[in-house]
Amino acid sequence: LLDARPGLAKQLHVSHGASREELDRGLAEAEVLLAGRFEAEAIERRAPRLRWVQSIFAGVEKIVSSVPPTVAITNAGGVHAGKAGEYAIGGILMLNNVIPTMIAQQRQRAWNPVYTSSLKGKGVAILGTGHLGSAVARHCGHFGMVVTGISRLGRAEPGFDRVVRVDELAGVLPGCAFVVVTLPNTPGTRMLLGPTEFGLLPPGAGLVSIGRGQVINEAAMVDALASGRLGGAMLDVLEKEPLPRSSPLWGLPNVVITPHCGVDDPESDLSLALEVFVDNLVRYTDGRPLRNLVDRDAGY
Amino acid sequence: LLDARPGLAKQLHVSHGASREELDRGLAEAEVLLAGRFEAEAIERRAPRLRWVQSIFAGVEKIVSSVPPTVAITNAGGVHAGKAGEYAIGGILMLNNVIPTMIAQQRQRAWNPVYTSSLKGKGVAILGTGHLGSAVARHCGHFGMVVTGISRLGRAEPGFDRVVRVDELAGVLPGCAFVVVTLPNTPGTRMLLGPTEFGLLPPGAGLVSIGRGQVINEAAMVDALASGRLGGAMLDVLEKEPLPRSSPLWGLPNVVITPHCGVDDPESDLSLALEVFVDNLVRYTDGRPLRNLVDRDAGY
């Protein structure tokens, strides 16, 4: 990857490690940190020369408050878009074909056909119009769905029939047979979907959750799923992970839970994240703006 | 619908009924029969003036041997393409994301992430390049899969990267992570997939079956699924329907069974079938060739 900029490798001093000790040895001198999960506590003291942290993850909520504002944080946003799009449209297709009901019947060895109509013309609300949301929108459009994006600013984006602001959500939900949550966990997104929102959806609507579980009021979701107000859900992320064994979600027949693995692709995630890093490294040495720079106020 | 040809309605004598007696009363004089399921036994004697049967179904294997060769049979092929395409790609996405495994883990309340790679670049063999197969091919292409069609004649069709003849199937299977069966039940398609074919697929391949169950050697499929040679299957059609309660397929954790309802769309099936009929009625009164004419030798 470093072939992109001949000579760049020679300018670098690289240290690496998997333990706190090894990390701190490198951090003492480091200007740049490329990291996955790491203890960011007191990073200002441990890494006095640090100017930029590149995360290999898309979500950076666990480090954003520990890293001082003078240090740039970039994330690996976009890396998961391919798999996330497949997961979400797969979930919509599965819920539209009432597969959870089919599987429950199968356990009873019961041959009870249930006929459902095509996705064509059905409405979908996609919360978040970033990398993940845009990938989902493109697939929904392929199947002829009517695609509404919901974002902070309500700015039009390719692949969406329209994009509205978060405060316009209530007006959108009654026309949506499906809701897909792709939002990160930020002060502005927490508990965005609760009893009111589930009540506005047409009865039997389907929910797909990627992004972060904190965007959904989980207790309200359980109620809506148990009552049938929500027809079904496919959940890759939850308020608390791992989902506690006591959670009623495990036992709901119209719910499919995947343990935070649906949007990851082991064959491409790391190499795509490293591509973002190397591109940013070239920008950094050139003094040009970094890609995927995290907005501290927005939290992503 | 008859507005398409003003005056046509006046030329018709229409009789209809749901019982054998009502049917036979109309058949005594009828030149044209529009029917769903009906007893075709001795139809030559019961309907001496019959010249054309329009089925509202795509599969006509139950009537083709009873209707004399001088009577044209047309089917409703194409009506199911929209829903069939969604069902099949939904099945592929579900199997690719190991959802049956996820659901089995969910019953144990176990949080065990399983990471899988994207569909992009994976091979799919689609048996049948007609209405159903073409709809499936279009969706597979959308997700960047490498799409091989298998047909009697091996003629190139839009949406397929290549089409090969049935006798070339063995050469195709080793490169296919997924197989979709969309073929009708004819003497040429029965038991096309058996132990040899399952053995040629890469280990863990996924199978989606729409069309007709007789195309698959069901005992061999059970063995392949139980051993893990086949990674999973989504089955809408089976050798014997309803699937007997004693079938081991019901209990296999990597199998999802839908009771012959996956490709039907209650909101559009009948109206689309009637559109085919009326179009054909205009052609019939004009003396032009009928659409969706069943080839007696091919059996579909």
Side-chain angles (χ1 to χ4, degrees):
Chain A
L1 284 168
L2 285 172
D3 291 350
R5 175 60 56 103
L8 180 60
K10 282 187 200 138
Q11 295 176 252
L12 304 175
H13 276 278
V14 180
S15 67
H16 61 94
S19 69
R20 170 81 178 236
E21 289 71 38
E22 288 170 324
L23 178 66
D24 277 355
R25 208 171 305 141
L27 280 181
E29 296 293 323
E31 228 178 288
V32 179
L33 173 62
L34 169 69
R37 223 175 298 279
F38 73 101
E39 288 171 48
E41 166 262 326
I43 196 84
E44 202 158 358
R45 184 180 50 72
R46 293 158 59 206
R49 303 175 59 183
L50 193 64
R51 292 178 53 195
W52 164 40
V53 177
Q54 169 75 55
S55 171
I56 64 165
F57 300 135
V60 292
E61 72 271 24
K62 285 181 183 150
I63 59 167
V64 80
S65 59
S66 309
V67 174
T70 50
V71 175
I73 302 175
T74 53
N75 66 18
V79 163
H80 300 299
K83 197 71 199 315
E86 292 183 14
Y87 179 91
I89 192 69
I92 289 174
L93 286 161
M94 194 174 72
L95 295 173
N96 195 54
N97 283 322
V98 294
I99 299 301
T101 303
M102 295 288 111
I103 290 172
Q105 289 189 5
Q106 185 175 340
R107 257 174 274 164
Q108 314 297 323
R109 303 190 171 228
W111 184 270
N112 294 326
V114 178
Y115 301 97
T116 62
S117 60
S118 154
L119 285 183
K120 197 171 173 180
K122 291 186 179 171
V124 58
I126 301 175
L127 276 69
T129 59
H131 297 289
L132 265 53
S134 294
V136 180
R138 194 171 66 84
H139 296 316
C140 290
H142 170 79
F143 289 97
M145 301 184 80
V146 181
V147 185
T148 302
I150 290 94
S151 72
R152 210 158 34 109
L153 306 172
R155 194 174 49 205
E157 295 286 349
F160 293 88
D161 292 310
R162 61 172 172 166
V163 179
V164 303
R165 286 196 320 272
V166 172
D167 57 14
E168 300 171 279
L169 181 60
V172 165
L173 294 175
C176 292
F178 294 93
V179 177
V180 180
V181 181
T182 73
L183 293 169
N185 176 14
T186 75
T189 65
R190 262 161 233 154
M191 298 275 192
L192 210 54
L193 291 186
T196 311
E197 289 71 27
F198 296 133
L200 285 167
L201 286 165
L207 174 65
V208 177
S209 183
I210 52 183
R212 286 294 180 263
Q214 289 78 9
V215 181
I216 299 175
N217 177 337
E218 205 163 284
M221 176 175 68
V222 168
D223 287 347
L225 285 162
S227 72
R229 192 68 185 73
L230 275 176
M234 177 141 176
L235 309 171
D236 193 53
V237 292
L238 295 138
E239 215 171 280
K240 193 174 170 191
E241 298 177 7
L243 182 66
R245 284 184 65 87
S246 60
S247 168
L249 277 172
W250 289 115
L252 290 174
N254 50 354
V255 172
V256 175
I257 295 167
T258 56
H260 205 132
C261 54
V263 312
D264 296 293
D265 182 340
E267 288 183 16
S268 67
D269 277 5
L270 191 59
S271 63
L272 289 174
L274 289 178
E275 276 176 29
V276 173
F277 174 62
V278 172
D279 180 41
N280 268 341
L281 196 58
V282 172
R283 291 163 178 262
Y284 182 82
T285 52
D286 288 353
R288 284 185 292 133
L290 300 178
R291 244 171 88 190
N292 283 4
L293 192 64
V294 171
D295 175 339
R296 301 294 186 115
D297 294 328
Y300 65 93
Chain B
L1 285 168
L2 285 172
D3 291 351
R5 176 59 57 101
L8 181 59
K10 282 187 200 140
Q11 295 175 252
L12 304 174
H13 277 278
V14 180
S15 68
H16 61 93
S19 69
R20 170 83 178 238
E21 289 71 38
E22 287 171 324
L23 178 65
D24 278 355
R25 208 172 303 140
L27 280 181
E29 297 292 323
E31 226 176 289
V32 178
L33 172 62
L34 169 69
R37 222 176 298 277
F38 73 100
E39 288 171 48
E41 166 263 326
I43 195 83
E44 201 160 0
R45 183 179 50 71
R46 293 157 60 204
R49 301 175 61 182
L50 193 64
R51 290 180 53 194
W52 166 37
V53 177
Q54 169 74 56
S55 171
I56 63 165
F57 300 136
V60 292
E61 72 271 24
K62 284 179 184 154
I63 59 167
V64 80
S65 59
S66 308
V67 174
T70 50
V71 176
I73 303 175
T74 53
N75 66 20
V79 163
H80 300 299
K83 197 71 197 316
E86 292 182 14
Y87 179 91
I89 192 69
I92 288 174
L93 286 161
M94 194 175 73
L95 294 174
N96 195 53
N97 283 323
V98 294
I99 299 301
T101 303
M102 295 288 112
I103 291 172
Q105 289 189 7
Q106 185 175 340
R107 257 174 274 164
Q108 314 297 323
R109 303 190 170 226
W111 184 270
N112 294 326
V114 178
Y115 301 97
T116 61
S117 60
S118 152
L119 285 183
K120 198 170 173 181
K122 291 187 180 172
V124 58
I126 302 175
L127 277 67
T129 58
H131 297 289
L132 265 52
S134 295
V136 179
R138 195 171 66 83
H139 296 317
C140 290
H142 170 80
F143 288 97
M145 301 184 78
V146 180
V147 185
T148 303
I150 290 93
S151 73
R152 211 158 36 109
L153 305 172
R155 196 174 49 207
E157 295 286 350
F160 292 88
D161 293 309
R162 61 171 172 167
V163 178
V164 304
R165 286 195 320 272
V166 173
D167 56 16
E168 300 170 281
L169 181 60
V172 165
L173 294 175
C176 291
F178 293 93
V179 176
V180 181
V181 181
T182 73
L183 294 168
N185 176 14
T186 74
T189 65
R190 260 161 235 155
M191 299 274 192
L192 210 53
L193 290 186
T196 310
E197 290 71 28
F198 295 133
L200 285 167
L201 286 166
L207 174 65
V208 177
S209 183
I210 52 182
R212 286 294 181 262
Q214 289 78 10
V215 181
I216 298 175
N217 177 336
E218 206 162 284
M221 177 174 68
V222 168
D223 288 346
L225 286 162
S227 72
R229 193 66 187 72
L230 275 176
M234 177 141 176
L235 309 171
D236 193 53
V237 291
L238 296 139
E239 215 171 280
K240 193 173 171 191
E241 296 177 8
L243 182 66
R245 284 184 65 87
S246 60
S247 168
L249 278 171
W250 290 115
L252 289 175
N254 51 352
V255 172
V256 175
I257 295 167
T258 56
H260 205 133
C261 54
V263 311
D264 296 292
D265 182 340
E267 288 183 17
S268 67
D269 278 4
L270 192 59
S271 64
L272 289 174
L274 289 178
E275 276 177 29
V276 174
F277 174 62
V278 171
D279 180 41
N280 267 340
L281 197 59
V282 172
R283 290 162 178 262
Y284 181 82
T285 53
D286 288 354
R288 284 185 292 132
L290 300 178
R291 242 171 90 191
N292 282 4
L293 191 65
V294 171
D295 174 339
R296 300 296 185 113
D297 294 329
Y300 64 93

